[in-house]
Amino acid sequence: EAADATVRLFSDDDQVGLWEFSTAVEGDLDYRQLVPIGPLDDVMFDNRSRREHILSAVGDLVPLTDTGLYNTIQAAYEEVLANYREDAANLVVVLSDGEDDTGGRPGISLQELLDHFAQAPDDQPVRVVPVAFGEQADFEVMEQIAAATGGSAYFSADGFNLVEVFRTAVFNSVG
């Protein structure tokens, strides 16, 4: 609901993509691209806009177990960096329970993720904006991730205000 409401507020020329993540959702990968990054008004292969694809994909998302959070954030960061635009905000917005749980599979550590950010090009800033929800969320970790990229972290303990928190996270980060 939070992602759906927020996507509806973007302009047609905003560049947006959508991934889902868990653990091993795409072979050995902890993430899967559902809609590639591009302008929301782009007409895609089936004559529907990217916005329509994203809204449809968001509606089909089902929470899964485990979250390869650090692996996913690193991959999404690299994807935005590869599609970097000087005239854009260049954000990775992550909606998560805030825990990195790879289900016992190998994954990068928090320190490795933070070190990865430190090695990024200074002339292409990409901010990570985590939105953590739930009482079990490790918000301190989400704050570390955001701070390492110049982003801000947001939190919804009970999920009841998640639509407003998510909208605030995205639009406060754009400016």
Side-chain angles (χ1 to χ4, degrees), residues 102-115:
T102 61
R105 296 178 56 253
I108 65 169
S109 68
L110 174 60
Q111 189 58 54
E112 289 170 319
L113 178 62
L114 298 175
D115 290 346

Side-chain angles (χ1 to χ4, degrees), residues 5 8 10 20-21 37 46 49 54-55 64-65 69-70 72-73 77 92 95 101 126 133-134 138 154 157 160 173-174:
R8 292 179 188 281
F10 286 121
E20 72 174 330
F21 68 101
I37 295 174
D46 61 355
S49 70
I54 288 175
L55 290 171
L64 303 170
T65 61
L69 183 64
Y70 304 156
T72 301
I73 290 175
Y77 184 89
V92 172
L95 181 61
D101 179 3
V126 173
F133 65 92
D138 193 342
Y154 296 82
F160 288 116
S173 299
V174 170

Side-chain angles (χ1 to χ4, degrees), residues 49-125:
S49 70
R50 182 177 316 278
R51 183 188 308 271
E52 290 172 299
H53 276 267
I54 288 175
L55 290 171
S56 177
V58 163
D60 292 341
L61 287 174
V62 176
L64 303 170
T65 61
D66 301 331
T67 51
L69 183 64
Y70 304 156
N71 296 337
T72 301
I73 290 175
Q74 182 180 23
Y77 184 89
E78 287 301 313
E79 180 72 12
V80 172
L81 200 55
N83 289 282
Y84 187 84
R85 295 204 30 197
E86 287 187 25
D87 62 340
N90 296 290
L91 304 175
V92 172
V93 180
V94 181
L95 181 61
S96 172
D97 64 3
E99 293 185 37
D100 180 62
D101 179 3
T102 61
R105 296 178 56 253
I108 65 169
S109 68
L110 174 60
Q111 189 58 54
E112 289 170 319
L113 178 62
L114 298 175
D115 290 346
H116 184 78
F117 295 148
Q119 297 169 11
D122 289 336
D123 63 338
Q124 292 180 300

Side-chain angles (χ1 to χ4, degrees), residues 15-28:
Q15 303 248 348
V16 180
L18 178 68
W19 289 14
E20 72 174 330
F21 68 101
S22 182
T23 298
V25 294
E26 184 84 6
D28 287 336

